[in-house]
Amino acid sequence: MHSAQRTDGAAAHGDTSWWRNAVIYQVYPRSFADADGDGTGDLAGVRQRLPYLAELGVDALWFTPWYRSPQADGGYDVADYREIDPAFGTLEDAEALIAEALDLGIRTIVDIVPNHVSSEHAWFREALAAPPGHPARDRFWFHDGKGPGGDETPTNWTSSFGGGTWTRTTGPDGRPGQWYLHMFAPEQPDLNWNHPDVAAEHEAVLRFWYDRGVAGVRIDSASMLAKDAALPEVGEEHAPGRHPHFDRDEVHEIYRRWRKLADSYEEPRLLIGEVWLEDTDRFVRYLRDDEMHMAFNFDFMSRPWDAERLAESIRSTFAAHATVAAPPTWVLSNHDVTRPVTRYGREDSSFAFADKRFGTPTDLALGARRARAAALLTAALPGVLYIYQGDELGLPEVEDLPAEAREDPMHFRSGGVDPGRDGCRVPLPWTATGPTFGFSGGADTATWLPQPRDWGGRAAASQEADPDSFLTLYRRAIRLRRAEPALRGDAFAWTETTPGVLAFRRGEDVTCVVNFADAPAVLPAHTAVLLASGPLDTAAGDARLPKDTAVWLRT
Ligand code: NOJ
């Protein structure tokens, strides 16, 4: 395994800025690789596939929650942060994985879910068993209902999963009791961040994982932790930082404390924010020097495949980040959103949770061309690149999962109109043949979500030796991104082009051109084509860049 070890010092111990232009690969452990053959991915499976990740060339792995959880929301309902979910393995497996990955030059990032815990968490069980007014309830948001008999919810806040945000408890006498707040599913009670135990416990959890060698944390729902204790209704407009439960100013104090803790390590640990905020001024507040190191760029991710719309996002991303030290990040998808191959093949190729519907047509060949071009576009931009597992294989969204296989609460809480997020969480295909395409080793088992029968051709093994495959494109792009000094630096300059074509120069000698327009684009003068997302058009003599294609040139 050590043969794949990096020699360029990318993961050298004590390198404190490795992350500023890193490639970070998101592992959804349940669907990555299954070593014990039960149809669910596990940490032993990831360990077996580390050489694949090293070959891909990623700098770090971000694991969606691997802790003990009833999986009411894919692990974002944590019952115990100090234990690995038995379906995924043991704490020893996690420690071995962290160490083995590091031997290959790959760091590990874990997910922290501070807004809520599982309803199976010891604190919540204790709170439920305690009477109203008991201190055990103060770690959460327990409240009497309004109206006669307390039958009405304390507020009319709406959940990001659809529906209300309060569930009523039942007392030991079987009578309806207080209500508790959950901004997501009822199995995810919100924590009360005004309570000192909540802050202390999270700092202890961070230490627990930092001490085990993780390089940083991805912070779930990071702008939601603080709530107005007076529980006002959400109005038409709120002064910045004064919304009842979203992006409140107090939340920053939490990250300031976390940053101090992260900085107390010899190799400072990273804080990566899941911050969905349209207002870029409010967004970059999370990235101030004493807060997080970076946050996901959902603005770019959500935009349609359109030259102007994407250029505008790139411009505003740079402008916003110019005010802070944090690098920009580039994200095409994650475990919550429609896979790019499917999304970019749609008439409306933007992403919005509220717009997801069954039966939205897509042209997968078109989507694949664009997703390849998008991969080169994002990999050419300065900053941190995130890749969601399976995007490097060009996997489409699985849109025809059988109804009984679906698990996502977003689907159920929408009354079944939102297909939910299961379709981007289907177990990866590793080999061309076999009952699970190598996901579960040789086991003839059923994977936790069924894989499409035609995924053999998309398997990693099927793509490995194919020079035109998605996997080869990703491998080459990541390799070049590391090898080319121009792509490692921060220098970026737009190059003038015709409408519908984006072009920018990186450093002294690399130019990226992406053509969104119908007509093949004339390429700027260059001495070599470093990488292209699809074949160039040579019909007119000089090579031109076809529609929905990206190229990296030596200029
Ligand atoms: C964001 C996570 O990415 C998503 O999967 C989860 O459902 C919510 N936060 C709630 O934890």
Side-chain angles (χ1 to χ4, degrees):
M1 269 178 107
H2 288 258
S3 60
Q5 193 161 1
R6 298 263 170 67
T7 50
D8 60 2
H13 181 70
D15 174 357
T16 55
S17 62
W18 66 273
W19 49 276
R20 297 193 66 88
N21 58 6
V23 178
I24 302 183
Y25 183 94
Q26 181 189 354
V27 178
Y28 195 76
R30 209 175 174 191
S31 301
F32 186 74
D34 166 27
D36 68 7
D38 64 355
T40 291
D42 46 42
L43 301 192
V46 182
R47 287 169 67 188
Q48 288 171 359
R49 297 291 181 184
L50 283 173
Y52 168 86
L53 295 166
E55 182 65 30
L56 185 58
V58 303
D59 299 292
L61 304 176
W62 148 37
F63 288 88
T64 55
W66 57 17
Y67 319 106
R68 190 159 67 73
S69 162
Q71 307 287 336
D73 179 24
Y76 285 94
D77 46 323
V78 179
D80 189 337
Y81 273 110
R82 294 172 180 82
E83 271 180 36
I84 299 296
D85 194 276
F88 300 153
T90 63
L91 188 55
E92 289 68 42
D93 291 331
E95 288 170 343
L97 170 50
I98 294 166
E100 288 166 10
L102 206 55
D103 276 348
L104 296 172
I106 302 174
R107 288 176 167 86
T108 295
I109 291 161
V110 295
D111 217 310
I112 294 291
V113 192
N115 181 67
H116 44 269
V117 290
S118 162
S119 48
E120 295 296 313
H121 189 282
W123 278 3
F124 192 72
R125 294 166 74 123
E126 191 188 339
L128 266 192
H134 190 280
R137 290 203 163 183
D138 294 344
R139 294 176 181 137
F140 298 90
W141 294 95
F142 279 86
H143 215 274
D144 292 335
K146 286 183 175 163
D151 291 342
E152 293 163 29
T153 54
T155 69
N156 292 313
W157 298 353
T158 50
S159 161
S160 356
F161 281 177
T165 58
W166 296 91
T167 290
R168 197 161 195 187
T169 60
T170 309
D173 55 0
R175 295 178 35 164
Q178 286 190 305
W179 300 74
Y180 70 89
L181 176 70
H182 51 85
M183 294 310 299
F184 295 94
E187 296 87 349
Q188 296 166 293
D190 276 49
L191 287 164
N192 174 5
W193 270 89
N194 300 325
H195 196 293
D197 286 359
V198 173
E201 169 63 3
H202 278 82
E203 283 167 34
V205 165
L206 291 174
R207 262 200 205 92
F208 181 89
W209 288 103
Y210 291 163
D211 291 346
R212 277 167 180 74
V214 312
V217 291
R218 176 264 189 194
I219 306 164
D220 186 72
S221 309
S223 58
M224 298 177 64
L225 278 47
K227 275 113 195 164
D228 185 338
L231 302 181
E233 290 298 350
V234 176
E236 298 268 295
E237 258 183 51
H238 294 278
R242 300 328 302 153
H243 185 280
H245 59 72
F246 189 67
D247 185 37
R248 290 180 64 78
D249 286 338
E250 311 88 274
V251 79
H252 294 280
E253 275 317 306
I254 301 169
Y255 303 123
R256 294 207 167 100
R257 288 197 304 270
W258 287 18
R259 180 61 180 256
K260 283 201 185 96
L261 174 60
D263 281 346
S264 72
Y265 283 78
E266 188 197 331
E267 180 182 301
R269 304 316 200 224
L270 296 183
L271 305 179
I272 305 167
E274 191 215 11
V275 181
W276 288 86
L277 274 179
E278 272 170 32
D279 180 335
T280 46
D281 292 336
R282 297 295 302 176
F283 176 81
V284 292
R285 288 166 69 86
Y286 290 80
L287 302 177
R288 290 176 289 194
D289 280 0
D290 57 349
E291 296 191 44
M292 298 179 189
H293 296 80
M294 57 177 136
F296 300 114
N297 189 344
F298 294 127
D299 177 74
F300 180 86
M301 186 195 75
S302 305
R303 299 228 176 187
W305 183 249
D306 175 90
E308 224 1 84
R309 301 294 309 283
L310 290 172
E312 188 184 272
S313 179
I314 295 169
R315 270 186 235 113
S316 64
T317 298
F318 288 150
H321 287 75
T323 64
V324 289
T329 69
W330 308 102
V331 185
L332 290 175
S333 84
N334 62 34
H335 64 293
D336 292 330
V337 311
T338 312
R339 290 267 190 194
V341 164
T342 301
R343 181 159 41 95
Y344 287 143
R346 292 201 159 130
E347 196 180 318
D348 176 358
S349 54
S350 62
F351 177 78
F353 285 106
D355 296 345
K356 286 180 79 177
R357 287 295 174 270
F358 283 103
T360 312
T362 184
D363 173 345
L364 289 182
L366 173 68
R369 261 197 323 276
R370 291 174 170 176
R372 291 172 63 93
L376 286 202
L377 167 60
T378 48
L381 290 166
V384 181
L385 180 67
Y386 282 86
I387 299 170
Y388 174 49
Q389 70 176 37
D391 277 359
E392 82 280 18
L393 303 176
L395 297 184
E397 183 85 358
V398 180
E399 302 201 90
D400 57 356
L401 286 169
E404 65 280 7
R406 293 187 186 273
E407 290 202 4
D408 184 12
M410 272 190 122
H411 166 63
F412 295 103
R413 287 174 61 93
S414 74
V417 298
D418 175 347
R421 301 163 296 177
D422 296 306
C424 65
R425 301 173 175 181
V426 173
L428 297 190
W430 290 95
T431 56
T433 55
T436 66
F437 301 115
F439 174 73
S440 296
D444 182 6
T445 186
T447 53
W448 75 276
L449 284 173
Q451 300 161 301
R453 288 332 300 158
D454 64 355
W455 268 19
R458 300 187 191 273
S462 312
Q463 298 198 29
E464 218 136 28
D466 174 0
D468 298 326
S469 72
F470 254 93
L471 181 57
T472 302
L473 181 75
Y474 265 86
R475 282 181 175 170
R476 288 189 179 149
I478 296 171
R479 205 163 294 157
L480 274 170
R481 202 180 132 95
R482 175 169 296 122
E484 290 291 329
L487 293 174
R488 284 207 303 269
D490 288 335
F492 173 98
W494 291 108
T495 310
E496 211 171 312
T497 54
T498 49
V501 180
L502 293 190
F504 53 85
R505 197 179 170 97
R506 295 295 318 282
E508 287 301 302
D509 58 352
V510 177
T511 296
C512 172
V513 189
V514 191
N515 187 8
F516 298 76
D518 287 331
V522 177
L523 291 172
H526 57 277
T527 54
V529 172
L530 297 174
L531 189 58
S533 69
L536 300 184
D537 180 346
T538 48
D542 57 336
R544 300 202 173 182
L545 187 66
K547 182 176 169 61
D548 297 326
T549 310
V551 68
W552 292 0
L553 302 171
R554 170 85 64 220
T555 44

